[in-house]
């Protein structure tokens, strides 16, 4: 193990020990400063912008090469909450090694990716007399897990963030051990729906004449879908940017089968895509969705409480594909509920960001794909988008720069879940991959 790998594994241990949970707005400045100090020590021209609750860290490593291109490296230092703690086999805030794996909250998403990239840069500088063939600009935020609040504002404040390629925050290998390179993600709009049918909870004997809030809310939610699970809100799909033939082919070629998907996710209900008669992979990557995250109302304790609840709340999300504006999408839902007679249902937006899909034929992205093939001896799995959500659209709108995502994960990484982990073998291979990406700019 090189000195750089030891150094930045120690940094990873320190980072995991900081519970930088953006949902709780806890310990974000501390994590940002620790990363900024490490970047400065490595030789970066580093800025910490703390205008908003989650500071942005920017650090530039300049190339001595004339007219050098710029590689932007995007990451985030915030993490998901670690609860439920009792399901962890070790303390989530203590980096723990077991059988070739490292465990801890954020070890993959995304602190381990940060330290792998710092390791790659440090080793490259050490092996090449401190010279770089490309400018490297780190952009590291602290609110990715909460829809990257104010990241768009930070981009406006820092027009100097420009480059030729963005290496995004994370990625993984697939079940067969092949590197997965993806180039986009869905957007999202989250909102609360609230039904209120009275000023106080009532005795349930009054249910013969008084409507309850949970009934009212559930009836409103039920109108959003037809029997096949298709969203029946008028104009919901109007803005959807359809994938081109190349993008469809990339998804069609993904090795996962429907049976793999069902087994991995322990699904017992029929797939909605089967009900609608559409291919499950095409739907997963290219269709928007509506989901009820949770419903709260009434008595939830032990035994029975015969009550007629006066209030009920649902947390709802819509995953958006490119072309869909979060605010316009939410407005179509509001308008539909009113048209269905649910004008009394309160709608409160909580978060929102647009989606983005990479052009995987862009020359800068194609070079990374070729590097992966050379490093591993096999073609990587290439997808134009992930099924998840992230702020790629903010970065693309601000820079117009192509984006590709790669990282240290594997199918058992358990991001956002108890026992989040990485394999040290994947971590080390990713360091080598990143060094090879830097080296292609010598050409």
């Amino acid at each position: 193990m090189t000195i750089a790998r030891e150094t930045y594994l120690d940094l990873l241990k320190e980072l995991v020990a900081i519970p930088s949970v953006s949902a709780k707005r806890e310990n974000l400045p501390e994590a940002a400063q620790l990363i900024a100090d490490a970047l400065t020590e490595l030789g970066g021209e580093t800025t910490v912008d703390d205008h908003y609750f989650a500071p942005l860290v920017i650090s530039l490593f300049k190339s001595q090469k004339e007219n050098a291109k710029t590689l932007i490296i995007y990451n985030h230092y915030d993490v998901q909450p670690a609860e439920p703690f009792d399901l962890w086999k070790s303390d989530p805030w203590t980096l723990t090694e077991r059988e070739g794996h490292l465990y801890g909250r954020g070890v993959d998403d995304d602190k381990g990716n940060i330290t792998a990239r710092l390791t790659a840069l440090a080793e490259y500088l050490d092996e090449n007399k401190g010279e770089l063939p490309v400018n490297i600009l780190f952009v590291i935020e602290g609110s990715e897990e909460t829809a990257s609040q104010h990241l768009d504002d930070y981009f406006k404040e820092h027009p100097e963030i420009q480059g030729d390629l963005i290496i995004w925050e994370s990625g993984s290998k697939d079940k067969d051990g092949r590197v997965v390179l993806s180039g986009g993600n869905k957007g999202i709009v989250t909102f609360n729906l609230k039904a209120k049918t009275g000023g106080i909870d009532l005795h349930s004997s009054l249910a013969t004449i008084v409507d309850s809030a949970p009934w009212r809310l559930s009836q409103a939610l039920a109108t959003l879908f037809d029997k096949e699970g298709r969203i029946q809100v008028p104009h919901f799909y109007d803005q959807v940017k359809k994938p081109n033939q190349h993008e469809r082919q990339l998804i069609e070629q993904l090795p996962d089968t429907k049976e793999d998907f069902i087994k991995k996710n322990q699904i017992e209900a029929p797939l909605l895509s089967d009900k609608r008669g559409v291919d499950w992979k095409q739907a997963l990557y290219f269709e928007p969705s509506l989901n009820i995250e949770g419903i709260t109302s009434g008595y939830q304790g032990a035994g029975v409480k015969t009550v007629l609840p006066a209030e009920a709340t649902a947390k709802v999300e819509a995953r958006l594909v490119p072309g869909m504006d979060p605010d316009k999408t939410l407005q179509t839902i509001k308008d539909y509920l009113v048209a269905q007679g649910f004008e009394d249902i309160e709608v409160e937006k909580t978060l929102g960001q647009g989606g983005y899909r990479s052009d995987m034929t862009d020359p800068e992205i194609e070079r990374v794909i070729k590097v992966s093939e050379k490093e591993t001896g096999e073609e990587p799995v290439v997808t134009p988008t992930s099924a998840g959500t992230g702020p790629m659209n903010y970065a693309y709108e601000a820079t117009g720069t192509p984006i590709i995502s790669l990282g240290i994960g594997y199918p058992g990484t358990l991001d956002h879940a108890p026992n989040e982990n990485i394999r040290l073998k994947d971590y080390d291979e990713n360091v080598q991959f990143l060094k090879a990406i830097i080296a292609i700019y010598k050409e």
Side-chain angles (χ1 to χ4, degrees), residues 6 30-31 75 115 124-125 156 202 214 279 291 303 331 349 398 411:
E6 289 181 356
E30 292 87 342
N75 287 94
T115 59
Y124 188 92
L125 288 168
K156 292 173 185 175
L202 301 173
D279 180 80
N291 174 55
Q331 189 61 51
K349 178 186 174 184

Side-chain angles (χ1 to χ4, degrees), residues 69-73 134-137 165-167 437-438 441:
K69 290 187 174 183
T70 298
L71 180 64
I72 299 173
I73 296 180
V134 61
N135 301 315
I136 295 180
L137 180 62
L165 176 68
I166 300 177
I167 300 293
I437 291 173
I438 296 172
Y441 290 94

Side-chain angles (χ1 to χ4, degrees), residues 37-304:
D37 290 344
L39 288 162
T40 301
E41 186 174 347
L42 188 54
E45 298 174 6
T46 307
T47 300
V48 178
D49 186 335
D50 59 358
H51 285 177
Y52 303 99
F53 74 94
L56 182 73
V57 180
I58 304 170
S59 189
L60 175 63
F61 294 79
K62 291 182 179 179
S63 170
Q64 294 80 15
K65 181 180 176 182
E66 188 176 354
N67 299 320
K69 290 187 174 183
T70 298
L71 180 64
I72 299 173
I73 296 180
Y74 164 86
N75 287 94
H76 65 91
Y77 56 82
D78 63 313
V79 298
Q80 285 282 334
E83 293 87 341
F85 295 112
D86 60 320
L87 296 182
W88 286 81
K89 295 180 181 178
S90 54
D91 177 19
W93 308 118
T94 301
L95 187 66
T96 304
E97 182 176 352
R98 294 197 302 272
E99 300 177 349
H101 294 242
L102 293 177
Y103 291 82
R105 173 55 84 229
V107 69
D108 179 61
D109 189 15
D110 184 45
K111 294 173 177 178
N113 279 286
I114 295 173
T115 59
R117 293 169 181 193
L118 286 169
T119 303
L121 176 56
E123 289 189 359
Y124 188 92
L125 288 168
D126 186 57
E127 295 164 5
N128 291 272
K129 300 178 181 179
E131 296 184 355
L132 288 171
V134 61
N135 301 315
I136 295 180
L137 180 62
F138 283 88
V139 178
I140 306 177
E141 65 148 319
S143 181
E144 193 274 345
E145 301 292 2
T146 49
S148 294
Q149 297 173 73
H150 300 295
L151 181 60
D152 53 341
D153 297 314
Y154 279 129
F155 275 121
K156 292 173 185 175
E157 291 182 12
H158 294 278
E160 72 275 14
I161 300 176
Q162 297 292 327
D164 298 278
L165 176 68
I166 300 177
I167 300 293
W168 204 249
E169 48 118 350
S170 63
S172 71
K173 293 180 178 177
D174 72 357
K175 63 183 179 65
D176 299 316
R178 294 169 65 194
V179 171
V180 178
L181 302 176
S182 59
N185 47 41
K186 290 184 177 180
I188 195 170
V189 60
T190 64
F191 53 99
N192 296 330
L193 297 180
K194 180 179 179 181
K196 184 174 181 180
T197 54
I200 57 173
D201 290 351
L202 301 173
H203 194 285
S204 64
S205 63
L206 300 179
T208 56
I209 55 173
V210 179
D211 199 0
S212 73
W215 273 119
R216 184 69 178 161
L217 181 62
S218 60
Q219 289 164 354
L221 291 168
T223 67
L224 299 174
F225 300 90
D226 63 19
K227 292 182 180 180
E228 283 70 45
R230 183 176 174 83
I231 300 161
Q232 58 183 4
V233 177
H235 309 297
F236 186 86
Y237 295 94
D238 288 1
Q239 297 175 289
V240 170
K241 179 182 178 183
K242 294 182 179 179
N244 60 38
Q245 186 61 32
H246 178 62
E247 291 168 340
R248 286 190 173 278
Q249 287 175 346
L250 287 174
I251 295 302
E252 184 179 340
Q253 293 166 5
L254 293 178
D256 286 350
T257 67
K258 183 166 66 174
E259 289 70 28
D260 292 333
F261 176 79
I262 291 172
K263 182 178 179 181
K264 174 185 174 182
N265 294 285
Q266 302 180 36
I267 297 169
E268 299 180 7
L271 294 185
L272 292 176
S273 52
D274 286 347
K275 288 184 177 183
R276 299 198 306 273
V278 298
D279 180 80
W280 73 275
K281 283 190 284 192
Q282 300 292 329
L284 179 63
Y285 288 95
F286 297 132
E287 289 189 6
S289 66
L290 262 180
N291 174 55
I292 302 168
E293 298 174 348
I295 301 175
T296 303
S297 185
Y299 177 69
Q300 302 296 325
V304 175

